[in-house]
Every structure is written in C-alpha cells, then in structure tokens.
Amino acid sequence: MQAYERKQLLERVERDGATVGADIPETITVQGEAIDLRTFVFEIKRRETVPAGERDRVERAKKNLRRERNDRLERIEADDISRETGEELAQSIIGIDRALNALESLGPTDLEREQQAKQAADRKRWMSFLKKALGDDGGSARRGR
C-alpha cells in the first residue's frame, strides 16, 4: 500500500461522522474469539438500561472492542499490507466504532441508585426550603413561644 493510500484510510477512519450509515459487523474476531457483535449490541440496546448482571459483560466488551480497534488501526499505520486488506481493516474499524457508539449511548445502568440520589437531593432541598420559610437559620433565631 502506498503512503498516500494509508493516509486516506486513516483519515477516513478518524473522520467525524464516519459511522453514519455504517453497519455493525455481524461477527468480529476479538483476541482470537469470534463474537456475534451485531446480535450482542442489539440485545443490549433493546433494553432501556443495562441490567446489573450484564454491566460487567458490557464494560468488558467495550474494553475489548477498543483494544481491537487500536490493534487494527496500528496494522493500517505500520504493517506492510495490501490496499484491499487496508480497506477491510478500515471498514471493520468503522463498524467497531459504530458498535461502541451504540454501547456508550446506553442509559443509566443503576436506576435504583439514581432514584435514591434524586430522593435524597429532593429531601435536602425541601428541608432547606422549610428552614428558610420557618426562619430557622441554624438555631440562632428564637423558636416559637
């Protein structure tokens, strides 16, 4: 592959919006293991949140996908590869990016903890309001007679 071809592929992979219209690969080999990537992403995305038991699996998948993306990018940058191989690597990187975008855009993973935090913040605001409304500024004001 010529240097200018390598540069074009790298620019295409790093371009903003490169994933627009791109498909998530059906399967992908990550660290020697074949993964049904499209099925995995759609299975996780169809839920509103990631269940507690799936969080570790999703985080591990994202980590492995990022590592695989970097490995493939390095191959384009440094390896002696053909233009065809470079194109295949670039397409797979864009597909990985598409999958990562889908997994990163998942909603909060712990709704119960988030709900508790909201309730605690509401209570704190309510108590602050009551203290101001009743003129209680920490005990220095006289209480009702």
Side-chain angles (χ1 to χ4, degrees):
M1 178 175 9
Q2 300 292 323
Y4 75 92
E5 292 172 321
R6 188 181 309 272
K7 184 178 177 184
Q8 285 176 336
L9 289 175
L10 292 171
E11 286 174 358
R12 182 172 56 169
V13 166
E14 298 298 334
R15 185 180 312 137
D16 287 339
T19 60
V20 174
D23 290 329
I24 295 172
E26 189 69 41
T27 59
I28 191 167
T29 303
V30 177
Q31 298 176 346
E33 181 182 339
I35 298 172
D36 292 330
L37 186 58
R38 187 178 301 165
T39 303
F40 173 73
V41 170
F42 287 129
E43 171 189 317
I44 297 298
K45 285 288 286 181
R46 89 181 142 81
R47 302 176 185 149
E48 289 185 23
T49 60
V50 180
E54 294 287 315
R55 270 186 241 138
D56 289 338
R57 181 177 168 214
V58 170
E59 289 304 315
R60 198 170 45 253
K62 289 191 302 190
K63 181 180 176 182
N64 288 337
L65 286 170
R66 283 188 205 101
R67 184 178 298 129
E68 186 64 28
R69 181 197 191 280
N70 289 336
D71 289 348
R72 291 174 187 218
L73 192 62
E74 284 179 24
R75 284 190 61 201
I76 293 174
E77 290 173 340
D79 286 3
D80 185 22
I81 56 175
S82 68
R83 171 75 181 180
E84 183 178 309
T85 301
E87 286 285 344
E88 290 171 7
L89 286 169
Q91 278 305 114
S92 69
I93 290 169
I94 291 170
I96 290 171
D97 287 345
R98 177 77 173 86
L100 282 169
N101 288 343
L103 293 173
E104 294 288 347
S105 70
L106 293 173
T109 56
D110 192 346
L111 290 178
E112 187 175 314
R113 186 176 302 143
E114 185 177 305
Q115 183 65 28
Q116 288 173 350
K118 284 182 181 180
Q119 288 175 344
D122 288 345
R123 278 192 300 274
K124 187 175 179 179
R125 282 191 298 275
W126 180 245
M127 292 305 292
S128 176
F129 169 77
L130 287 176
K131 284 180 180 181
K132 287 179 184 176
L134 297 174
D136 183 5
D137 60 357
S140 64
R142 290 182 21 195
R143 302 210 180 225
R145 298 176 200 181

